[in-house]
Amino acid sequence: MENDQGKLVDLYIPRKCSATNRLIASKDHASVQINIADVDEQGRLTGSFKTYAIAGMVRSLGESDDSINRLTTTDGYLKNVWNYQK
């Protein structure tokens, strides 16, 4: 929620899991948030990054590594790492 000056005044803004799109509860202490930085051709940081939030449920199932590979492949950070199999 915003006040009259346009500032955010919420005490807690919930996050969504990047892999499952479920809300991450405030008491989910097993969840992680990972920032992956963008680099230029010389390998130097550009100052921008992409944030991935992974819920504790995904981590407890052992699917967080596959989820991060899938998300980073679709965003263009990785190539030839993850491919869909039925």
Side-chain angles (χ1 to χ4, degrees), residues 34-80:
I34 299 172
N35 293 334
I36 301 197
D38 293 324
V39 295
D40 59 5
E41 293 80 20
Q42 287 81 28
R44 289 186 237 137
L45 295 175
T46 61
S48 61
F49 56 87
K50 178 73 176 169
T51 303
Y52 299 104
I54 305 295
M57 182 264 311
V58 176
R59 294 186 66 215
S60 68
L61 292 174
E63 295 292 326
S64 59
D65 58 339
D66 189 44
S67 298
I68 291 174
N69 284 342
R70 176 178 52 84
L71 291 167
T72 53
T73 300
T74 56
D75 288 341
Y77 289 107
L78 294 177
K79 292 183 178 154
N80 299 327

Side-chain angles (χ1 to χ4, degrees), residues 1-2 7-16 23-26 33 53:
M1 181 183 340
E2 294 181 0
K7 293 185 178 182
L8 289 174
V9 293
D10 289 332
L11 294 177
Y12 174 72
I13 300 173
R15 296 178 293 162
K16 285 181 81 172
L23 283 178
I24 298 175
S26 61
Q33 183 170 323

